[in-house]
Amino acid sequence: MRIHQVQIKSFRLLADVEMALEDETTVVVGRNNSGKTSLSEVIRRLLAEGTAKFQLEDFSSTCYDNFCEALQAHKDDVPDDKVRVLIPAIELRLMFQYDPAQPGFGPLSPFVIDLDPACTKALVVIRYELDDGKIAELFEGQAVPPLNEETRIAFFRSLRERIPTHFSTRIWAEDPNDPDNRRQLKPAALHGLVKTGFINAQRGLDDVTSRESDVLAKTVEGLFATASSSSADSADRLIADALRGTVQDIQTQVDDRFSRQLKSLVPALVIFGYPGIGQQELHTETTLDVGKLLSNFTKVRYPGYGGITFPESYNGLGSRNLIFILLQLAGFYKAFLAEAKQPGVHLIFIEEPEAHLHPQMQEVFIRQLGKVAQQLVASTDDKTPWPVQFIVSTHSSHIANAAGFESIRYFLGTSSSEAPTGARQTKIKDLRKGLGATSEPDKKFLHQYMTLTRCDLFFADKAVLVEGLSERLLLPVIIDKLEASEPDSPKLSSQYVTVMEVGGAYAHLFFDLLQFLKLRSLVITDLDSVEKPGGEACAVHKGTHSSNACLKAWFSEDNPFTLAGLLSKNEAQKINKGNRIAFQCAEEADGPCGRTFEDAFILTNPVLFGLAEESANERELTARSTANKQKKSEFALRYAITNQEWKTPKYILEGVRWLAGGAIDLPDPALVLAIEVAASVQLAEEKVDV
């Protein structure tokens, strides 16, 4: 049994998303504020053993207008059943996949309600919605629509107060083939089906100076508490009992010796002479509790040289972080074993495991996570299976690359055409599905490339794909020069941009991935002029075609595909599906044109390279000859570091200027309103206190 798919509605940026889960480990990546944390938060609240509580701010931006529509409908005396449809609700839908050949469904049984023998899925719905019969109370005392700015804030301020008291959680099983076929269920059924665990990003492992940090000791205390439960694994219970026995032996000695000595410190009450007190005698009793000993007086130490041990805070943060995660996983498994009725699925979230880990350790962690779960099972006497599914959210390109395409879910925070201007929503891109049209050899290349190099495509706002080393090394200087000369223009240096050196022969393999990620990108490549298709390389003025695979793929609809056609492309024609390509062009009309970056760089700076006043074709040949004598790495380093007094080739300048521009997200109006409402509530509370 596994959770096959998760669907979330109306929670923060997760207005309406759907995400498939891998059987073992699903890796969640994306830029900051793209909804990754919201995923774990909504599952934490709705699957927790307790009453889920949400506030107005937890509802998606698109829900704010829906509340207003519901108010309008209620004031217009629309029937309650139709008003209820308009009132937003936060919803989590879990689709389970099970094996029908199993003798029983176990804790999934109450949720299997279809009569189709071919169906192997069960749907669980958890919904935070307005209680029955509460519509009038929710909208009581509100202004008659349409709302102005003042009444709108007042309306949402009242909603902020009423939502926690008028909304509650409902749980039901739903037929995957018939939404009208439902069975209402109690929370106990859900808690018996899914157990959750969370390892948060903030783990309290920061460096300490004046005090020791005992995070690992607290974790060990939790392991003891689990082992002490009546339903714990038998081996764990034996260890816990042995610990208690040891403490009991010490307790006996304390009662016998320590108490006798302590008694002499307590004065006899008879000396006070008060009637009736003199006959009473005080005794002392010291109780040792093994739990409190672990909590307050037990510390994790590391062995040192010559018998010296060191406190846990003396170990590196990376090692402590990894040990903490492993101890937490061990605790989760032991807690699973200790359940009276073991749940069908154990869903564990791990946030940013890369904290303090070096790149190689990050990659090993994500590869070994499944094996850690297997080893925990193998360490028990009865080898009880652990139906665990991991969801790992990360900002680490090393973890993302090592995980593989199929397990990655890319969170993209973007504006919605169906929402008010500026309202943002999360779109979840499944790389298992999204690259389905890409051939296996090309997909294998992308995976290998991104594994062997540090690729930040999953976390960047924009990307630049360059031909070679020279462009990659000089690009930061080019950006600085452009921003210095155009101080009022958008600045690329303040945006999250990743630069990838992919070569002209492979850049086209990234086109589908860039489109899938909706990543505004600039591809900088070379003309690579040739005398004829498949012919020898030549100067641009002598060429008829281009051998560049990237250009051929970009302008695949050109028939025929010629060098003259490339040179005639205007700005609009170089843009394709929101991305742009840049290749060599003449610096001025009828001027010489470079074949490669080095050619173009030399032609743009004729004085720097001592080019004579010759014809355009002669200058082009001279630039090619000069470039061929240069060693590319030395050329790039010289003009990136030593000598920065040069001009940028026109084709790169135009491309960088285009990339720096682009859509800028407007403030989310619903979020602004939520902030205003919260501020007004706080102001009102402060006035009351005064």
Side-chain angles (χ1 to χ4, degrees):
M1 179 196 315
R2 284 290 187 268
I3 299 178
H4 174 66
Q5 184 175 281
V6 175
Q7 187 175 0
I8 300 166
K9 293 182 179 180
S10 302
F11 183 72
R12 299 180 184 173
L13 285 178
L14 309 180
D16 189 0
V17 298
E18 189 176 281
M19 186 177 86
L21 297 188
E22 297 294 309
D23 287 348
E24 189 174 90
T25 303
T26 305
V27 178
V28 174
V29 301
R31 310 165 200 170
N32 287 325
N33 297 320
S34 60
K36 301 188 298 297
T37 303
S38 295
L39 172 67
S40 62
E41 183 62 23
V42 70
I43 291 179
R44 183 200 304 268
R45 294 197 199 181
L46 290 177
L47 295 186
E49 293 188 15
T51 304
K53 292 293 183 183
F54 295 88
Q55 294 182 335
L56 175 66
E57 296 90 330
D58 291 319
F59 286 83
S60 300
S61 298
T62 53
C63 296
Y64 285 62
D65 286 342
N66 294 338
F67 277 117
C68 294
E69 292 176 19
L71 174 63
Q72 177 74 62
H74 177 67
K75 295 295 185 180
D76 292 342
D77 294 325
V78 173
D80 282 358
D81 58 336
K82 295 183 178 180
V83 174
R84 176 171 289 276
V85 173
L86 298 173
I87 298 175
I90 295 173
E91 185 175 280
L92 171 65
R93 303 171 76 87
L94 303 176
M95 182 72 77
F96 287 79
Q97 185 86 40
Y98 62 87
D99 183 2
Q102 292 294 325
F105 298 133
L108 188 62
S109 297
F111 298 92
V112 180
I113 60 174
D114 66 275
L115 300 177
D116 183 0
C119 182
T120 60
K121 296 179 179 179
L123 180 58
V124 180
V125 182
I126 310 103
R127 185 180 172 94
Y128 184 77
E129 63 181 10
L130 181 66
D131 294 332
D132 292 339
K134 296 291 186 178
I135 293 178
E137 292 184 30
L138 183 68
F139 296 133
E140 183 181 3
Q142 299 304 321
V144 177
L147 302 175
N148 56 34
E149 182 177 353
E150 182 179 350
T151 57
R152 185 178 172 87
I153 291 179
F155 171 52
F156 284 112
R157 184 166 59 187
S158 71
L159 283 181
R160 192 173 189 269
E161 297 172 352
R162 296 175 185 180
I163 283 175
T165 57
H166 290 70
F167 280 60
S168 61
T169 303
R170 288 179 56 218
I171 302 168
W172 69 82
E174 185 174 303
D175 188 338
N177 304 311
D178 182 7
D180 295 327
N181 180 18
R182 298 179 176 181
R183 176 191 292 167
Q184 198 79 20
L185 292 167
K186 294 183 178 180
L190 178 62
H191 299 150
L193 176 63
V194 185
K195 186 177 180 65
T196 56
F198 299 87
I199 302 178
N200 298 324
Q202 301 298 327
R203 293 186 268 275
L205 291 165
D206 294 340
D207 280 316
V208 292
T209 53
S210 60
R211 61 181 177 85
E212 292 185 9
S213 177
D214 301 322
V215 176
L216 300 184
K218 299 293 184 184
T219 307
V220 173
E221 177 193 350
L223 292 175
F224 173 78
T226 302
S228 301
S229 65
S230 58
S231 55
D233 180 71
S234 57
D236 288 344
R237 287 203 308 272
L238 287 175
I239 295 173
D241 291 342
L243 284 173
R244 287 195 187 87
T246 301
V247 173
Q248 185 61 44
D249 291 341
I250 299 173
Q251 178 79 61
T252 302
Q253 296 183 40
V254 169
D255 289 342
D256 182 37
R257 300 177 184 176
F258 183 71
S259 294
R260 285 203 309 267
Q261 299 298 325
L262 189 61
K263 182 180 179 182
S264 64
L265 297 177
V266 180
L269 294 179
V270 69
I271 66 173
F272 292 102
Y274 191 84
I277 292 184
Q279 288 74 35
Q280 298 182 19
E281 186 176 357
L282 296 182
H283 295 272
T284 61
E285 181 177 307
T286 303
T287 302
L288 299 180
D289 183 278
V290 65
K292 290 184 172 59
L293 286 173
L294 285 170
S295 176
N296 300 323
F297 303 105
T298 302
K299 299 180 184 297
V300 173
R301 310 282 293 189
Y302 296 99
Y305 180 74
I308 300 297
T309 61
F310 300 104
E312 66 176 75
S313 59
Y314 276 47
N315 208 350
L317 288 174
S319 298
R320 291 167 60 200
N321 179 46
L322 189 57
I323 293 171
F324 176 83
I325 293 175
L326 295 176
L327 287 175
Q328 287 286 86
L329 294 178
F332 288 148
Y333 179 52
K334 292 181 182 298
F336 170 81
L337 295 177
E339 293 283 349
K341 292 184 178 180
Q342 292 170 355
V345 172
H346 199 167
L347 189 62
I348 294 178
F349 286 81
I350 306 177
E351 287 188 327
E352 300 178 20
E354 66 271 16
H356 312 300
L357 301 182
H358 61 71
Q360 291 79 6
M361 193 179 286
Q362 294 174 29
E363 295 175 6
V364 170
F365 170 82
I366 197 65
R367 292 195 188 109
Q368 297 294 326
L369 185 57
K371 293 181 180 179
V372 170
Q374 295 172 9
Q375 290 174 357
L376 287 171
V377 172
S379 66
T380 59
D381 293 335
D382 53 2
K383 307 294 186 293
T384 303
W386 190 19
V388 63
Q389 288 180 268
F390 296 106
I391 298 180
V392 179
S393 67
T394 181
H395 289 116
S396 166
S397 57
H398 301 283
I399 288 179
N401 296 343
F405 280 143
E406 289 77 11
S407 66
I408 290 177
R409 306 295 179 263
Y410 176 67
F411 277 48
L412 174 65
T414 182
S415 299
S416 172
S417 58
E418 301 175 357
T421 303
R424 296 176 67 248
Q425 297 181 9
T426 294
K427 291 184 179 179
I428 300 179
K429 315 284 277 184
D430 187 338
L431 267 73
R432 179 182 288 278
K433 300 177 182 177
L435 295 181
T438 304
S439 67
E440 283 303 319
D442 289 351
K443 192 183 298 184
K444 183 178 180 181
F445 165 82
L446 287 173
H447 189 196
Q448 289 178 338
Y449 178 91
M450 297 173 73
T451 301
L452 295 173
T453 62
R454 189 180 66 86
C455 177
D456 299 323
L457 286 180
F458 297 129
F459 312 99
D461 292 328
K462 297 179 180 179
V464 182
L465 275 61
V466 298
E467 179 86 7
L469 177 66
S470 297
E471 295 95 319
R472 179 169 62 83
L473 292 178
L474 287 169
L475 190 61
V477 185
I478 290 172
I479 293 172
D480 288 343
K481 284 177 170 290
L482 176 62
E483 294 179 356
S485 62
E486 302 177 4
D488 296 330
S489 299
K491 290 180 169 50
L492 202 60
S493 61
S494 61
Q495 303 174 36
Y496 301 114
V497 181
T498 184
V499 180
M500 298 173 55
E501 181 184 336
V502 296
Y506 301 107
H508 66 283
L509 299 179
F510 288 84
F511 290 172
D512 288 344
L513 180 60
L514 294 174
Q515 289 297 323
F516 179 73
L517 298 179
K518 300 296 182 183
L519 193 62
R520 184 179 175 89
S521 306
L522 172 66
V523 180
I524 300 176
T525 191
D526 289 338
L527 266 177
D528 291 336
S529 52
V530 292
E531 297 173 343
K532 60 182 180 179
E536 295 293 327
C538 65
V540 175
H541 71 274
K542 293 183 177 181
T544 61
H545 290 75
S546 169
S547 62
N548 189 290
C550 177
L551 291 173
K552 291 178 182 178
W554 193 276
F555 299 108
S556 59
E557 296 182 0
D558 284 12
N559 189 16
F561 175 74
T562 64
L563 188 62
L566 288 174
L567 293 172
S568 66
K569 300 293 184 184
N570 58 34
E571 174 79 10
Q573 292 171 320
K574 295 177 182 178
I575 299 173
N576 183 15
K577 297 179 180 178
N579 295 326
R580 190 190 188 281
I581 198 166
F583 50 88
Q584 288 80 18
C585 64
E587 294 295 314
E588 67 276 338
D590 300 323
C593 180
R595 180 182 186 273
T596 66
F597 168 78
E598 288 78 12
D599 297 358
F601 189 89
I602 293 170
L603 288 170
T604 307
N605 299 276
V607 176
L608 183 63
F609 291 93
L611 297 188
E613 289 292 335
E614 301 173 319
S615 67
N617 292 346
E618 289 173 336
R619 274 185 286 159
E620 188 179 316
L621 292 172
T622 303
R624 271 189 52 74
S625 175
T626 303
N628 289 336
K629 297 175 184 178
Q630 305 287 331
K631 189 174 181 179
K632 288 196 173 187
S633 58
E634 293 179 358
F635 181 90
L637 289 171
R638 182 186 311 129
Y639 296 106
I641 301 173
T642 307
N643 182 1
Q644 296 185 358
E645 297 300 322
W646 42 263
K647 294 181 181 179
T648 304
K650 180 181 178 181
Y651 76 101
I652 295 182
L653 203 61
E654 292 177 344
V656 171
R657 188 181 288 118
W658 172 87
L659 185 65
I664 300 176
D665 288 338
L666 297 172
D668 189 326
L671 182 59
V672 172
L673 178 62
I675 294 173
E676 291 178 356
V677 169
S680 66
V681 171
Q682 182 177 359
L683 182 61
E685 291 174 348
E686 290 175 352
K687 289 181 178 179
V688 170
D689 292 339
V690 173

